[in-house]
Amino acid sequence: MIPTILILGAGGQIGSELTEKLRTIYGSNHVIASDIRNNNTQLVTSGPFEIIDATDKEAILTIVKKYGVTQIYLLAAMLSAVGEKFPQKAWNLNMTSLLAVLDIAKEKHINQVYWPSSIAAFGPTTPKINTPQQTIMEPSTVYGISKLSGEFWCNYYHEKYGVDVRSLRYPGIISWKTKPGGGTTDYAVDIFFSAIEQTNFECFLSKDSCLPMMYMEDAVDATVQIMQAKSEQIKIRTSYNVSAMNFTPKELAKEIQQHVPKFSITYKIDYRQVIADSWPDSIDDSKAREDWGWSPNYTLSKMTKDILENLLTQ
Ligand code: AKB
């Protein structure tokens, strides 16, 4: 049966590309995009669109009933860097929206939920290299605390009420169509916009700050794949580690310079460095590979080439 999907936070970095992909797979009328505002013309014109505050359970339920929604993808969230400026707002948005959606699933209005966790659920005491699926998790940001708590809420609703909720711990996601907002890994997107202007990029992380990253194409594929997997393949109901590449700002700049020799980078470290320092350098995603066949397609060089080609021909 073709699912009818509601995407909360569809106007954001991941939501906008995921909506496009899901509309291609299931047909535009089966994918209802929603956000708190309607400033993304592409989303609004390519299929159904509704204004929804993701913390408002009744508003979500009204739309679920209106369209006969069977799956919700909850992508509305406040990210790590901006969350440190507004800790209570971040907690409220990230947790209230998740509990609203899990409750809607518990009440059997829908039958599947997707909710992203993040590498931010790890913390400074977590083993940094090849971080295992199950390990010490003591996040130091409010975003990370909300992700770790959210993972356990997902597991609780699955165990206790049989809710079919699936989740990935996204690394930094790199895209060129829609920019992210308020994350610590955002430098790896902004850098490409300086590169195509052939200007200097001032990086807010140090040159050797290594972080796990993933190209949007892979992030969207991983999301679709985990949602399409058979229920019995999903053995982890907190959230799966997924990994594609790891690099430092210096390594990314070097890769870009192969295509844009005039591009340069300088470093002016700010408060986001401490956040980056608390996250893993690399991730062990063997469980995702074993359980539902995850495997990324993009390396750093393939991604860099693809982004620059797209941005330069836009
Ligand atoms: C952020 O930097 O806050 C996000 C994330 C890693 O979840 N991109």
Side-chain angles (χ1 to χ4, degrees):
M1 204 184 83
I2 301 177
T4 299
I5 295 170
L6 172 62
I7 303 186
L8 298 166
Q13 184 203 17
I14 300 172
S16 55
E17 296 208 32
L18 191 59
T19 303
E20 210 178 299
K21 178 75 168 203
L22 292 171
R23 282 183 171 162
T24 313
I25 299 174
Y26 299 115
S28 291
N29 288 338
H30 282 270
V31 182
I32 298 98
S34 80
D35 210 300
I36 197 141
R37 54 188 84 81
N38 65 348
N39 51 9
N40 184 324
T41 327
Q42 165 65 15
L43 274 190
V44 180
T45 54
S46 64
F49 180 88
E50 298 281 347
I51 300 263
I52 305 181
D53 171 353
T55 62
D56 184 344
K57 184 184 164 194
E58 287 314 309
I60 302 171
L61 202 47
T62 304
I63 300 305
V64 164
K65 288 179 181 163
K66 177 174 167 187
Y67 292 92
V69 168
T70 58
Q71 299 183 352
I72 295 182
Y73 287 61
L74 170 55
L75 296 164
M78 196 180 283
L79 299 187
S80 58
V82 75
E84 291 308 283
K85 299 206 161 123
F86 308 102
Q88 297 209 345
K89 267 193 187 166
W91 177 258
N92 184 43
L93 170 59
N94 298 357
M95 297 317 296
T96 311
S97 57
L98 176 60
L99 289 172
V101 171
L102 289 174
D103 270 335
I104 290 171
K106 173 189 158 191
E107 290 156 12
K108 309 262 181 271
H109 297 289
I110 57 168
N111 51 35
Q112 225 181 336
V113 175
Y114 177 77
W115 173 80
S117 184
S118 157
I119 53 164
F122 298 113
T125 50
T126 300
K128 269 192 164 322
I129 314 290
N130 226 12
T131 301
Q133 173 68 40
Q134 279 180 307
T135 185
I136 301 167
M137 296 178 83
E138 297 181 323
S140 55
T141 60
V142 71
Y143 173 66
I145 299 170
S146 75
K147 288 301 180 190
L148 185 58
S149 312
E151 288 191 13
F152 283 98
W153 275 118
C154 289
N155 194 54
Y156 184 84
Y157 271 70
H158 177 72
E159 294 288 318
K160 201 98 185 168
Y161 309 118
V163 169
D164 185 356
V165 51
R166 302 169 184 212
S167 175
L168 302 173
R169 289 177 182 150
Y170 286 137
I173 307 295
I174 303 160
S175 59
W176 56 272
K177 289 185 188 161
T178 309
K179 284 195 179 185
T184 303
T185 57
D186 293 8
Y187 90 85
V189 173
D190 296 338
I191 195 169
F192 284 98
F193 290 86
S194 296
I196 56 161
E197 300 296 335
Q198 307 202 11
T199 54
N200 181 66
F201 178 69
E202 193 174 82
C203 186
F204 57 75
L205 295 185
S206 75
K207 64 181 187 348
D208 296 320
S209 248
C210 189
L211 286 170
M213 301 278 187
M214 185 180 284
Y215 193 29
M216 180 62 86
E217 308 282 322
D218 276 334
V220 166
D221 281 353
T223 309
V224 170
Q225 219 179 318
I226 193 174
M227 285 299 274
Q228 287 182 340
K230 293 198 184 85
S231 186
E232 55 274 21
Q233 287 176 276
I234 310 301
K235 298 187 181 124
I236 293 170
R237 295 292 180 158
T238 47
S239 189
Y240 275 94
N241 278 6
V242 279
S243 167
M245 58 182 95
N246 317 298
F247 55 76
T248 64
K250 189 174 150 194
E251 286 162 346
L252 176 56
K254 204 170 154 208
E255 193 61 45
I256 291 174
Q257 279 158 349
Q258 314 250 351
H259 304 267
V260 189
K262 282 194 183 140
F263 170 70
S264 63
I265 184 164
T266 51
Y267 299 89
K268 192 171 175 213
I269 292 161
D270 70 16
Y271 70 100
R272 288 168 280 195
Q273 185 64 50
V274 181
I275 303 178
D277 288 344
S278 76
W279 291 350
D281 286 12
S282 58
I283 298 284
D284 172 6
D285 63 358
S286 48
K287 292 279 178 238
R289 289 172 189 257
E290 280 163 29
D291 290 358
W292 44 273
W294 159 245
S295 156
N297 281 314
Y298 284 84
T299 57
L300 172 59
S301 61
K302 191 171 166 193
M303 174 189 77
T304 305
K305 190 166 172 285
D306 196 68
I307 296 180
L308 289 171
E309 272 170 16
N310 276 298
L311 286 178
L312 290 166
T313 52
Q314 247 193 104

